[in-house]
Amino acid sequence: MENQIHTDLRYNVYIDSIKDEASKKLIIMFLANVIKHIQLEDIISGISSLPFKVVNAVTEETAVKLQERLGVRGAVVRLVQLVPGNVQNTGTQNLSFTVLQAESTQTASSAPHNDKNDTSVQPGVQTGKQEAQPKPHFLKRMWHSWVDVMFNAQEFFKGIDEEKQLHFPVIFALVWGTIALMLNMPTVLYTQQTYLKFLAGTMPEQLTLPVSTYASILFIAPFFLFITLFIMAGIYHLGALLVGAKGGFGSTLKVITYSTGAMVLEVIPFLGIPLFWFYTLYLYTVGFRELHKVSTARAFVISILPLIVLFLFIFIMAAIIIFGFGMSFLRQFRPQIPGIPI
């Protein structure tokens, strides 16, 4: 019997307060993505007159997940447990579906909620405000950001602020870029040794890298990565401006920095490099689309435009060299071949 009651538990989820305006924007974007059938104007109105009931009668798993996601974005979230016998079975609900129920704008903008007037609160259950959730630990935030970029890129780029807090994306790129380079070194060495064995028939004796090599990467890589990030962001932002992108340089920089997490794919022998390039192209396309508010086609153009320009530059330079070499060759035979206009 207890198992059945636990299974049927439902919760209302309230936002009681929000840290600042930047957090409010993140929360609005998150709720607009999760609660599909509520208009953006209704969410903004509800957030502007807290407390705001986010969802009604959801499962404990969904409520806790919402509390965690909203807390990370700067909200103080309160869960109100409903009496199991008075709650209609609303079926399984989670963040990936649009069946989450939310209060209307009129209810959201009403007077502050009073738990004493809520007859659905189970006696003996504490329904006071939750303590303000501490900011996630730096390493935990670094890990979760990488997981979201690699496995849920679209939702991740939708949920990040466009222009503010550029320090964390840059640090993210420096940390994961350096980690990737250190992890990839044995793979690069193994690949080189395998090719040498295939070509020469013998495997080199040195199968490991000295500690000094890793120490050099640890101290030098962040410096070169930092410079490379801003150069790449400048090049790609020029492409973004050419296709009519709406975001600023900060948006472009965030796409470049967070996409650096894909460098870890290079640790896979032989297939790692092509996987890295193709997945980075995907991350660029999704990131530019969400942060620059352009179509997928335009975002893809932004992603490949620098490569197209690079290939055109190489082609033009090669054509100039070949043409110059050909003209020099013909000049040698000018006395023997009359009529050559050179």
Side-chain angles (χ1 to χ4, degrees):
M1 183 66 179
E2 294 181 356
N3 293 336
Q4 181 65 30
I5 293 176
H6 179 73
T7 303
D8 292 340
L9 287 180
R10 291 290 186 270
Y11 292 82
N12 289 347
V13 180
Y14 294 87
I15 296 178
D16 285 328
S17 64
I18 298 175
K19 183 174 61 176
D20 51 31
E21 289 298 319
S23 299
K24 182 183 293 186
K25 183 176 181 181
L26 292 176
I27 292 168
I28 291 173
M29 293 173 64
F30 173 75
L31 293 179
N33 183 54
V34 172
I35 310 176
K36 301 294 185 181
H37 68 280
I38 299 297
Q39 297 295 325
L40 180 61
E41 293 78 8
D42 295 341
I43 296 176
I44 295 175
S45 175
I47 292 297
S48 300
S49 55
L50 296 174
F52 172 55
K53 182 187 284 187
V54 181
V55 288
N56 177 59
V58 295
T59 63
E60 181 178 5
E61 178 183 1
T62 299
V64 172
K65 187 177 294 186
L66 269 173
Q67 185 181 40
E68 179 183 0
R69 293 291 180 87
L70 291 170
V72 168
R73 290 166 170 83
V76 177
V77 180
R78 171 165 49 94
L79 307 184
V80 177
Q81 182 178 328
L82 307 180
V83 178
N86 295 339
V87 179
Q88 296 181 354
N89 186 10
T90 57
T92 303
Q93 303 182 40
N94 61 58
L95 297 178
S96 62
F97 295 90
T98 58
V99 296
L100 295 177
Q101 300 178 2
E103 203 171 39
S104 64
T105 307
Q106 182 178 3
T107 305
S109 58
S110 62
H113 178 76
N114 187 354
D115 290 337
K116 294 181 180 180
N117 297 330
D118 191 345
T119 58
S120 64
V121 178
Q122 184 177 8
V125 177
Q126 296 181 356
T127 59
K129 292 184 178 181
Q130 300 286 338
E131 293 294 333
Q133 297 186 6
K135 189 175 182 179
H137 191 273
F138 176 79
L139 295 180
K140 183 177 180 181
R141 184 183 177 191
M142 191 73 64
W143 167 253
H144 285 297
S145 296
W146 182 83
V147 172
D148 288 341
V149 168
M150 296 300 295
F151 301 102
N152 196 9
Q154 182 173 343
E155 183 178 347
F156 175 80
F157 282 115
K158 280 184 177 180
I160 63 175
D161 191 14
E162 295 183 8
E163 299 295 339
K164 299 177 182 179
Q165 300 179 352
L166 292 176
H167 63 279
F168 180 79
V170 173
I171 296 174
F172 174 92
L174 299 182
V175 170
W176 281 106
T178 303
I179 291 174
L181 289 173
M182 296 184 70
L183 292 176
N184 296 341
M185 288 304 297
T187 302
V188 172
L189 181 63
Y190 173 77
T191 303
Q192 291 177 347
Q193 292 171 348
T194 302
Y195 284 129
L196 288 174
K197 181 180 179 181
F198 176 77
L199 296 174
T202 58
M203 179 72 76
E205 294 182 1
Q206 185 178 1
L207 298 177
T208 58
L209 291 172
V211 177
S212 59
T213 302
Y214 291 100
S216 300
I217 295 173
L218 184 62
F219 287 101
I220 297 176
F223 173 74
F224 286 101
L225 283 171
F226 183 82
I227 296 176
T228 303
L229 288 173
F230 282 88
I231 293 176
M232 290 181 61
I235 295 173
Y236 278 96
H237 192 62
L238 289 176
L241 294 177
L242 290 175
V243 302
K246 299 179 180 179
F249 178 79
S251 299
T252 305
L253 182 62
K254 284 192 172 185
V255 175
I256 301 299
T257 51
Y258 282 119
S259 299
T260 306
M263 289 177 62
V264 179
L265 293 174
E266 294 181 349
V267 74
I268 303 174
F270 306 109
L271 298 177
I273 293 178
L275 282 176
F276 160 69
W277 284 107
F278 280 110
Y279 198 72
T280 300
L281 181 62
Y282 165 75
L283 291 178
Y284 282 177
T285 303
V286 174
F288 291 139
R289 183 187 67 194
E290 300 299 334
L291 295 186
H292 281 300
K293 310 304 179 186
V294 295
S295 64
T296 302
R298 290 191 177 189
F300 181 75
V301 171
I302 299 173
S303 303
I304 65 172
L305 192 58
L307 296 177
I308 295 175
V309 173
L310 177 61
F311 287 138
L312 286 176
F313 176 77
I314 294 175
F315 176 78
I316 293 173
M317 292 301 298
I320 292 174
I321 293 173
I322 294 173
F323 180 77
F325 177 79
M327 296 299 291
S328 299
F329 180 78
L330 290 176
R331 285 192 184 97
Q332 297 178 3
F333 296 93
R334 183 177 181 182
Q336 290 82 11
I337 308 177
I340 296 180
I342 56 177

